[in-house]
Amino acid sequence: MVSNEAMLGIALVELGLVITPGPNMIYLISRSIAQSRRAGLISLAGVGVGFGVYLLAASVGLATVFALVPEIYVTLKLAGAAYLLWLAWNAFRPGGNSVFATQELEPDRPRKLFGMGLLTCLLNPKIAILYISVLPQFLDPSRGHVGTQSMILGLIQTAVGVGVNAIFVITASSVAVFLTRRPTWMRIHRYLTGTALAAFAIRLATDKARPLATH
């Protein structure tokens, strides 16, 4: 039903998004470093459920709603771009921190860790745009029900997203120690993070593409 090219395409798109610093990565890494790997993995479970919420919405035609009411789509897109620019400024500003910088955080209970992971994912503009605008580009009505195609492609995206984020969570503490002992590398990482966030925000704000109807 879904072509190999479409499956590979959505996997590569998600890989590119997940390795670009954003809200999910920042939250998961900060929790893993400040609390524990277990806390990071619990938070990641919440992120995974957030992917599932978007997947379900895409399967029942969320993109169709935005295609019919493009003003809502544009508003959400610009709000997401503004949020990413704010994250970029926090990386660039004097005294800003790398995502791997150690910091003191109050330990959270598993329920809150899961809930915050879910909320962070649901409010992540990168994930919203992926499901609203990018994923429909890989759908082919001639191959069968587009809702089922959305489900398959979304499961591939979720597998890639959760898998790569799990690697970040597991290795976060080791990377943080490495960078903490090398201030110059920490500063370089901070600037690269800010640049990536700003570039994605600008691309998001200026993208003229519109969501395609999936039903």
Side-chain angles (χ1 to χ4, degrees):
M1 177 175 286
V2 179
S3 68
N4 292 333
E5 290 79 8
M7 291 188 288
L8 177 61
I10 198 68
L12 291 176
V13 168
E14 172 59 15
L15 180 61
L17 290 177
V18 76
I19 63 176
T20 303
N24 286 354
M25 181 192 291
I26 292 171
Y27 179 72
L28 293 173
I29 290 177
S30 64
R31 269 299 150 195
S32 181
I33 294 174
Q35 193 164 343
S36 67
R37 288 178 181 174
R38 178 175 179 271
L41 291 173
I42 293 173
S43 300
L44 178 57
V47 171
V49 172
F51 287 151
V53 172
Y54 273 114
L55 172 56
L56 179 61
S59 298
V60 299
L62 177 64
T64 302
V65 175
F66 288 105
L68 295 175
V69 191
E71 292 79 8
I72 298 177
Y73 171 74
V74 173
T75 299
L76 291 175
K77 184 177 72 167
L78 292 178
Y83 179 59
L84 290 175
L85 284 175
W86 179 76
L87 291 176
W89 164 245
N90 281 336
F92 280 125
R93 66 180 175 82
N97 290 320
S98 163
V99 65
F100 286 100
T102 55
Q103 55 183 308
E104 294 294 330
L105 294 175
E106 289 293 329
D108 284 336
R109 295 179 179 276
R111 180 179 298 180
K112 184 174 182 180
L113 291 170
F114 180 89
M116 287 302 298
L118 172 60
L119 184 62
T120 300
C121 183
L122 293 179
L123 298 180
N124 187 343
K126 293 198 300 182
I127 304 304
I129 294 302
L130 172 66
Y131 275 95
I132 293 168
S133 183
V134 178
L135 186 146
Q137 309 299 323
F138 293 96
L139 302 178
D140 183 356
S142 67
R143 286 183 168 269
H145 191 267
V146 292
T148 303
Q149 292 183 53
S150 294
M151 182 69 68
I152 294 172
L153 293 175
L155 289 173
I156 293 172
Q157 175 271 326
T158 298
V160 174
V162 171
V164 175
N165 274 313
I167 294 174
F168 288 147
V169 168
I170 293 170
T171 62
S173 296
S174 299
V175 174
V177 171
F178 176 86
L179 292 177
T180 299
R181 294 173 179 174
R182 297 164 178 80
T184 300
W185 287 44
M186 178 76 82
R187 186 161 53 250
I188 291 173
H189 181 267
R190 182 160 56 90
Y191 291 152
L192 289 175
T193 296
T195 300
L197 288 169
F200 190 82
I202 293 171
R203 180 179 178 182
L204 182 60
T206 58
D207 184 16
K208 302 298 183 182
R210 291 290 184 268
L212 300 178
T214 59
H215 281 62

